[in-house]
Amino acid sequence: MLKMVPIFCLAVLLPEVAHSAQGHFAQKLLNDLMENYSSALRPVEDTDKSLNVTLQITLSQIKDMDERNQVLIAYLWIRQTWHDAYLKWNKEDYDGLEVIRIPSSLVWRPDLVLYNKADDDFSGPMDTNVVLRYNGEITWDAPAITKSSCVVDVSYFPFDSQECNLTFGSWTYNGNQVDITMAMASGDLSDFVENVEWECHGMPATKNVIMYGCCSDPYPDITYTVLLQRRSSFYIFNLLLPCFLISFLAPLGFYLPADSGEKVSLGVTVLLALTVFQLMVAESMPPSESVPLIGKYYIATMTMVTASTALTIFIMNIHFCGAEAKPVPHWAKVLIIDYMSKIFFVYEVGENCASSSSSSSSHSTQNDNKHQHLGPRIQANGKPGNHITPEERQYYKYPRPQTPKPQHHPRVKVQHHITREERNHLTSFTSGKYEGSNGKIPMGGCCKEDQKHACCPEDQKPPVPGPTVTFGPCVFCTHGSGFPGVDAKLVRNVEYIANCFREQRATCAKGAEWKKVAKVMDRFFMWIFFIMVFLMSILIIGKKP
């Protein structure tokens, strides 16, 4: 058991002794390599030969894409590999030591820079250690945060895709001195961290040899193209969808009743809301000639809202046509009121899809023809016509019809209680159906010129229970020579009132026709603008690359 203790201690201490010996040989190797070495000169045995530098780029993360300033900020791992002719050794002389790691500042390094750098700080990669092998191969891995200029094309924003180039090359050595080759056909994306806004679809690499005007020697470079696709979900839900919903409010302004007084206010409010979204897009886009797709959509929508507001003002002017307006033209009645109102389901109160507006108009025409029997006798303004007696003409000299004054008669005052039939007869007076065939109030055959007793048979009956109207002298008939002139004055008063009602009804009918024309035009433009909004939205989605 005691013999096993020295063996166990030797097994534990042997790796430490070996490591100490390797560290001793590594220190000796470093001193021997750096004894006559200069990091300022290109490490080649023949100065006429070029030094091959292998470049490999690993894209770790896209930190930001500044579209307005057209700058791509990326986090890269840069690996450069070359052979140094003065840093070789025989590994058998140094206890089989093959690899050592030394500071990169002790050896010569190629001056590869990012040509399209857009940063104020011109410092290169970090000064990390290099890996040196016994055959002179040096591998230098260094992380770097690069800011490169990128030509941003926002024509299809927010469905755009960008191609940003990262061009690496030697700043002082030409192709005859330092030649750059690619380690892989594309950049390495195995360790790429996904970005919330951009998707990376690849990073192909190409080698270019360019002859600059300043020098006759070729200058090789390697260009990595970062293929980026924007994630459009954020912009769809925050810019496109609100604009799409707001644009649908513009046609609804035509459906809003004109009497509400908010039609123009709705259009102006929608226009202001679209302007705010347009400013938000303009702040993030570069000031270029190419207008973004969403910007075109906003401009088209704003133009549509402006046109709808202008049409709303025009239609409201039609809606509020008063008595001084001209009648609706015949073509407008036929096209708009008769046909388009049925197509767009515009009906007045009391109408339905089975009853047309022509029936109501024909009914009003028949009523007007029925009232034209008074035309030769009384004019539309209530003044006498050509067949008025001198006594009646004397009465019409007054500006307003005057109610006849009650006259005292030695006869006993007659009271008349209006029955239910007479009340219905009076109701027909108020609706304009009081004329007879001769243009005078029908007497119903109850009053005759040779009548000596009460003019109406209902006067001799007891009063009917309920509300009654009591008159003095009977206003429905005369007693021959009892009240001369009362009948004519009463008829003229009623005829004047009827003419006023007839004019008012004609004016209201004319205004109602203009209102219906305006309502039909509102429905027509509402559907037209709905179709325009839908088509514009489909075109925006269809142009997605």
Side-chain angles (χ1 to χ4, degrees):
M1 191 67 182
L2 295 176
K3 293 181 180 181
M4 297 296 295
V5 173
I7 298 175
F8 178 75
C9 294
L10 182 62
V12 172
L13 297 177
L14 185 61
E16 297 182 1
V17 173
H19 181 72
S20 300
Q22 188 177 8
H24 173 72
F25 283 108
Q27 183 65 37
K28 182 178 181 299
L29 174 61
L30 179 62
N31 294 333
D32 294 342
L33 292 177
M34 297 293 123
E35 184 176 359
N36 295 319
Y37 182 79
S38 175
S39 60
L41 299 177
R42 187 167 55 96
V44 291
E45 296 177 352
D46 187 359
T47 56
D48 293 336
K49 293 183 179 180
S50 62
L51 178 64
N52 293 326
V53 178
T54 303
L55 180 64
Q56 180 181 347
I57 299 296
T58 299
L59 180 60
S60 177
Q61 185 181 5
I62 296 175
K63 298 183 68 66
D64 188 22
M65 167 66 84
D66 190 355
E67 293 94 345
R68 190 170 186 82
N69 296 321
Q70 302 191 33
V71 174
L72 173 65
I73 303 176
Y75 179 47
L76 306 177
W77 296 346
I78 303 175
R79 169 173 288 186
Q80 303 177 49
T81 304
W82 68 95
H83 285 79
D84 195 321
Y86 302 110
L87 297 179
K88 298 180 181 180
W89 70 90
N90 187 2
K91 60 181 179 179
E92 303 298 335
D93 298 337
Y94 296 93
D95 194 22
L97 189 61
E98 296 182 358
V99 179
I100 61 173
R101 291 168 175 81
I102 60 177
S104 59
S105 58
L106 299 179
V107 300
W108 177 89
R109 295 176 297 183
D111 57 345
L112 297 184
V113 296
L114 181 63
Y115 281 175
N116 56 337
K117 191 173 184 179
D119 194 4
D120 297 336
D121 186 11
F122 288 96
S123 59
M126 296 177 60
D127 291 334
T128 57
N129 292 337
V130 296
V131 179
L132 178 60
R133 297 181 62 86
Y134 69 96
N135 58 355
E137 182 185 38
I138 299 178
T139 302
W140 182 26
D141 291 329
I145 297 178
T146 61
K147 292 184 179 181
S148 59
S149 60
C150 178
V151 180
V152 180
D153 184 13
V154 293
S155 300
Y156 294 98
F157 176 85
F159 308 107
D160 57 327
S161 58
Q162 306 297 332
E163 296 182 359
C164 297
N165 296 328
L166 300 174
T167 304
F168 294 91
S170 176
W171 192 255
T172 57
Y173 295 105
N174 56 43
N176 298 325
Q177 296 171 335
V178 175
D179 188 17
I180 306 175
T181 58
M182 298 179 298
M184 299 173 61
S186 62
D188 187 8
L189 300 176
S190 59
D191 297 323
F192 179 71
V193 179
E194 293 292 335
N195 188 269
V196 295
E197 186 178 358
W198 297 94
E199 295 178 358
C200 186
H201 292 169
M203 193 177 177
T206 56
K207 181 179 179 180
N208 305 309
V209 179
I210 302 175
M211 304 292 293
Y212 292 98
C214 63
C215 311
S216 58
D217 298 323
Y219 282 85
D221 63 64
I222 295 178
T223 301
Y224 291 89
T225 303
V226 183
L227 304 179
L228 300 176
Q229 176 67 43
R230 190 189 301 272
R231 302 178 188 268
S232 57
S233 301
F234 173 80
Y235 298 97
I236 289 176
F237 284 100
N238 290 276
L239 291 180
L240 271 180
L241 188 59
C243 177
F244 181 74
L245 296 178
I246 290 174
S247 61
F248 265 98
L249 291 177
L252 289 178
F254 291 106
Y255 193 76
L256 197 66
D259 296 330
S260 64
E262 298 294 334
K263 295 171 71 71
V264 179
S265 301
L266 178 62
V268 174
T269 304
V270 172
L271 189 62
L272 290 177
L274 292 175
T275 305
V276 172
F277 282 101
Q278 174 68 18
L279 292 177
M280 292 175 59
V281 175
E283 288 178 357
S284 60
M285 294 294 101
S288 60
E289 294 183 358
S290 59
V291 181
L293 189 63
I294 188 173
K296 295 178 181 179
Y297 180 64
Y298 282 153
I299 293 173
T301 306
M302 291 170 65
T303 304
M304 187 193 66
V305 173
T306 304
S308 67
T309 306
L311 287 173
T312 299
I313 296 173
F314 172 72
I315 295 174
M316 288 183 66
N317 191 19
I318 296 177
H319 177 82
F320 290 103
C321 284
E324 67 278 1
K326 296 181 180 180
V328 179
H330 178 70
W331 65 269
K333 290 183 179 180
V334 175
L335 178 62
I336 299 177
I337 298 180
D338 292 342
Y339 293 100
M340 294 181 64
S341 62
K342 297 178 182 178
I343 296 174
F344 297 104
F345 303 101
V346 179
Y347 301 107
E348 297 296 336
V349 178
E351 291 184 356
N352 52 25
C353 58
S355 62
S356 61
S357 60
S358 60
S359 61
S360 60
S361 62
S362 62
H363 181 70
S364 61
T365 305
Q366 292 176 3
N367 292 336
D368 292 340
N369 294 332
K370 185 185 295 182
H371 290 86
Q372 287 179 358
H373 296 289
L374 291 178
R377 184 175 181 86
I378 303 296
Q379 293 181 356
N381 56 0
K383 295 183 179 181
N386 297 328
H387 301 283
I388 303 301
T389 61
E391 181 182 358
E392 294 172 343
R393 190 179 303 275
Q394 180 68 23
Y395 172 77
Y396 278 105
K397 290 182 180 179
Y398 295 96
R400 296 179 58 184
Q402 300 184 7
T403 305
K405 296 181 181 180
Q407 299 181 5
H408 298 281
H409 198 268
R411 293 182 60 179
V412 181
K413 181 178 180 181
V414 181
Q415 293 185 350
H416 176 67
H417 302 279
I418 301 178
T419 61
R420 181 177 300 174
E421 291 79 3
E422 293 173 346
R423 283 200 300 268
N424 296 333
H425 195 67
L426 285 175
T427 306
S428 65
F429 288 169
T430 59
S431 61
K433 300 181 180 179
Y434 56 87
E435 305 97 325
S437 60
N438 56 354
K440 294 185 179 182
I441 298 177
M443 299 303 176
C446 68
C447 297
K448 305 295 181 181
E449 293 182 359
D450 55 349
Q451 189 173 359
K452 303 297 182 180
H453 304 285
C455 64
C456 297
E458 292 291 335
D459 293 343
Q460 300 175 0
K461 296 180 181 181
V464 181
T468 59
V469 179
T470 303
F471 293 90
C474 181
V475 297
F476 298 101
C477 54
T478 59
H479 297 279
S481 60
F483 300 95
V486 174
D487 185 30
K489 291 182 180 181
L490 180 61
V491 170
R492 285 194 296 270
N493 290 340
V494 174
E495 288 177 349
Y496 178 81
I497 295 173
N499 289 332
C500 292
F501 277 118
R502 191 179 299 111
E503 291 179 0
Q504 183 180 5
R505 186 172 62 253
T507 303
C508 293
K510 181 170 60 176
E513 287 182 347
W514 281 117
K515 288 182 179 181
K516 189 167 185 179
V517 169
K519 192 173 182 180
V520 173
M521 293 179 65
D522 270 333
R523 296 292 178 86
F524 172 73
F525 285 114
M526 181 187 72
W527 288 111
I528 290 296
F529 278 86
F530 265 129
I531 295 173
M532 290 175 60
V533 171
F534 182 75
L535 290 179
M536 284 193 302
S537 304
I538 294 298
L539 289 176
I540 290 296
I541 299 175
K543 285 189 176 181
K544 179 181 178 181

